Amino acid sequence: MTRKNKIRMTKNRKVLLENFFFLGLLQILRYLIPILVLPYVSRIIGVEHFGEIAITASATMIMQYVVDYGYNYIGARDVAKNKTNPAYISDLYSSITIARCLLFVLCIIVVYILTFLIPMLGEVRLLLFITCPSVLLSVFMPEWLYQGLEEMKFITIIHVVSRIVYVALIFIFIRESEDYIFYPLVNNIGFLFAGIASFIILRRKKIILHLVNWQNLRAILIKGWDLFINSICTGLFGQLLNLFIGNFLSFRDSGIYTSASRLILAARHGLTIITRVFFPFLAQHINKHKKFFIMNALIGFSIALFTIIFAPFIFRIFYPAEFSEGILIMRTLAVGLFFSSINNSLSSNYLVLVGKEKFVRNMGFLTLVFGTLIFLLAIHWFGLLGAAISSVLIIILNTIAYGAYSYKVKRQMPNENDNISNKL
């Protein structure tokens, strides 16, 4: 190995470790801090209001999947390949930002109509519209851009300060049960601060937000379409679960399920940290995917096993006794963590990178259609436990499909040492 190659490898490892640290810290702050305030919030507002917040959060997350439009991966990938071209990055940043703003306006119109058509949403209309601005504010905190540039420290510092503001406001404004209405409001304030700070940092890096023509906007919408379908289908499926529980069972059952699923989601996002850190690296070194796959699977198995064993202890730290039914739900959902780690390795960190977004899109659609059917039947027959079991079953079926197709693709692509940029 030449000296030049050794220097390049050392630099790659340094960038990977630095971005792993900052992206890891970012995800920990994003998901751990809300979990850390759960013991306080759940005791103050009670399980009923907690369920109402869960319903509005699920509806808002569906909006977030629409507005993200798959750009978290498409944008990061394209930025990673054009780091030295600030003009291109500015155009891409502007196109994606404007497209996401237009998608948000469309979402607001649809949600407003649905609050009059769906009684459950009508009951929480005010809470829902207080929560919605967080989706628009997230547009101006483009994590995908910093990830593609492999400069996660900037967005992490912004997020640290915004989360400190969030926690402080939680303890200032939420003092009794009826203060639950302030919970999404303080989150919006944190997002507002982060968006302003991010805008200033990007301007200093010569990445300028500007108007784009319709041709650029149309091109970026077409470019993200396949990943959008996958993202909205899988995301819609995940959030519909909670909406179905609230609609067909009760707000209380929704609160119980959410109490367990939020802890599992925190663990799942821990796995996502690894996936997203290695995404820019694998975009340029796809031949390293096998090692990444084995590492990620072992980590996923370890986290799943730990969660299953210590679920009662973990649960009692964060929730009062009235939430105790969620322990069994948490243990059941934890089984899916291992399979989620495999899914991440094969979908976003392999198939997307080798230009197989259409298969990922089709899997998302199948998950939405058949997963929803299985979930509804499971709720009807087995209640909350059925909901958890069906959720894990869908993840396992996805893993089998992704595994089989990835094996087929690898057999057709024997020379993976080539840079994959010419395949995309």
Side-chain angles (χ1 to χ4, degrees):
M1 183 181 294
T2 65
R3 177 179 175 81
K4 184 177 180 180
N5 286 336
K6 287 182 179 180
I7 293 173
R8 186 183 295 114
M9 286 184 64
T10 301
K11 184 178 179 180
N12 285 337
R13 287 171 183 168
K14 181 180 179 181
V15 170
L16 271 176
L17 289 174
E18 181 178 306
N19 281 282
F20 179 81
F21 172 76
F22 283 112
L23 184 57
L25 181 59
L26 175 62
Q27 298 294 338
I28 289 171
L29 290 171
R30 174 176 293 163
Y31 299 106
L32 184 59
I33 288 181
I35 286 176
L36 289 177
V37 301
L38 278 180
Y40 175 77
V41 173
S42 61
R43 284 174 173 82
I44 295 295
I45 68 175
V47 67
E48 189 77 17
H49 287 321
F50 192 83
E52 292 177 10
I53 290 175
I55 293 297
T56 58
S58 293
T60 306
M61 279 304 301
I62 293 173
M63 292 179 60
Q64 187 71 62
Y65 286 120
V66 174
V67 172
D68 283 347
Y69 202 77
Y71 292 136
N72 287 338
Y73 289 104
I74 293 293
R77 182 188 69 188
D78 290 355
V79 170
K81 293 178 180 179
N82 296 275
K83 290 181 186 178
T84 59
N85 189 345
Y88 173 85
I89 295 175
S90 290
D91 288 342
L92 182 67
Y93 167 55
S94 300
S95 298
I96 289 178
T97 300
I98 293 173
R100 293 179 71 187
C101 287
L102 293 175
L103 290 168
F104 174 78
V105 173
L106 178 63
C107 286
I108 283 292
I109 295 172
V110 173
V111 169
Y112 180 75
I113 295 171
L114 289 178
T115 58
F116 291 97
L117 299 178
I118 303 175
M120 176 188 65
L121 292 180
E123 292 180 33
V124 293
R125 184 181 293 116
L126 176 61
L127 186 64
L128 180 58
F129 282 103
I130 292 175
T131 308
C132 285
S134 64
V135 178
L136 178 61
L137 293 170
S138 70
V139 171
F140 297 96
M141 194 171 64
E143 186 180 318
W144 59 268
L145 179 54
Y146 293 97
Q147 183 188 356
L149 292 170
E150 295 187 292
E151 295 181 359
M152 292 302 299
K153 60 183 176 182
F154 294 108
I155 197 73
T156 303
I157 293 170
I158 293 171
H159 204 79
V160 167
V161 179
S162 69
R163 291 297 88 184
I164 292 173
V165 172
Y166 164 79
V167 172
L169 293 176
I170 284 286
F171 289 105
I172 291 172
F173 288 103
I174 300 181
R175 297 294 184 86
E176 56 185 13
S177 177
E178 295 306 313
D179 291 338
Y180 76 98
I181 201 76
F182 293 116
Y183 185 79
L185 183 61
V186 299
N187 193 46
N188 292 343
I189 295 173
F191 271 116
L192 178 61
F193 166 82
I196 294 172
S198 177
F199 183 79
I200 294 172
I201 289 174
L202 290 176
R203 283 190 68 87
R204 290 181 176 178
K205 294 178 72 65
K206 308 301 181 183
I207 299 175
I208 310 298
L209 182 64
H210 57 77
L211 294 177
V212 297
N213 57 41
W214 168 245
Q215 287 76 16
N216 285 353
L217 199 59
R218 182 175 179 271
I220 203 68
L221 287 169
I222 293 173
K223 195 171 191 177
W225 175 253
D226 288 332
L227 283 184
F228 164 69
I229 294 300
N230 173 69
S231 176
I232 190 60
C233 287
T234 54
L236 186 61
F237 171 70
Q239 299 306 320
L240 280 177
L241 305 189
N242 207 28
L243 293 176
F244 286 146
I245 292 171
N247 192 55
F248 295 111
L249 297 177
S250 68
F251 281 137
R252 182 183 185 281
D253 287 325
S254 176
I256 294 297
Y257 187 87
T258 301
S259 66
S261 64
R262 280 196 175 182
L263 295 175
I264 295 298
L265 186 62
R268 189 169 291 159
H269 281 296
L271 296 171
T272 303
I273 293 172
I274 302 169
T275 303
R276 295 188 65 180
V277 164
F278 276 87
F279 184 84
F281 174 78
L282 291 173
Q284 303 171 67
H285 306 280
I286 196 64
N287 58 305
K288 304 293 184 182
H289 180 266
K290 184 177 180 180
K291 292 181 179 179
F292 166 75
F293 175 84
I294 295 172
M295 175 196 72
N296 209 27
L298 289 174
I299 293 174
F301 178 80
S302 301
I303 293 176
L305 184 62
F306 177 87
T307 305
I308 292 170
I309 293 173
F310 294 100
F313 175 76
I314 297 170
F315 211 84
R316 292 188 184 106
I317 291 176
F318 293 102
Y319 300 107
E322 62 179 326
F323 286 81
S324 60
E325 296 173 46
I327 295 175
L328 179 59
I329 304 299
M330 182 180 176
R331 277 181 157 163
T332 305
L333 292 173
V335 176
L337 291 173
F338 168 62
F339 297 98
S340 292
S341 68
I342 296 177
N343 282 350
N344 291 344
S345 298
L346 296 178
S347 57
S348 59
N349 275 30
Y350 182 70
L351 293 176
V352 170
L353 292 176
V354 297
K356 302 298 180 181
E357 294 100 329
K358 287 186 178 180
F359 179 80
V360 178
R361 174 199 66 191
N362 293 338
M363 282 300 301
F365 179 74
L366 291 173
T367 296
L368 176 62
V369 174
F370 293 104
T372 300
L373 177 61
I374 293 171
F375 189 80
L376 288 173
L377 292 174
I379 288 179
H380 178 72
W381 289 332
F382 305 109
L384 276 182
L385 183 59
I389 292 173
S390 63
S391 179
V392 174
L393 176 62
I394 294 301
I395 296 174
I396 293 173
L397 292 176
N398 273 344
T399 303
I400 294 171
Y402 278 128
Y405 188 72
S406 295
Y407 178 73
K408 177 182 176 181
V409 170
K410 285 194 175 187
R411 291 192 65 182
Q412 295 172 348
M413 298 173 60
N415 188 15
E416 288 187 325
N417 291 317
D418 293 336
N419 191 302
I420 64 168
S421 61
N422 53 359
K423 297 185 180 82
L424 296 170

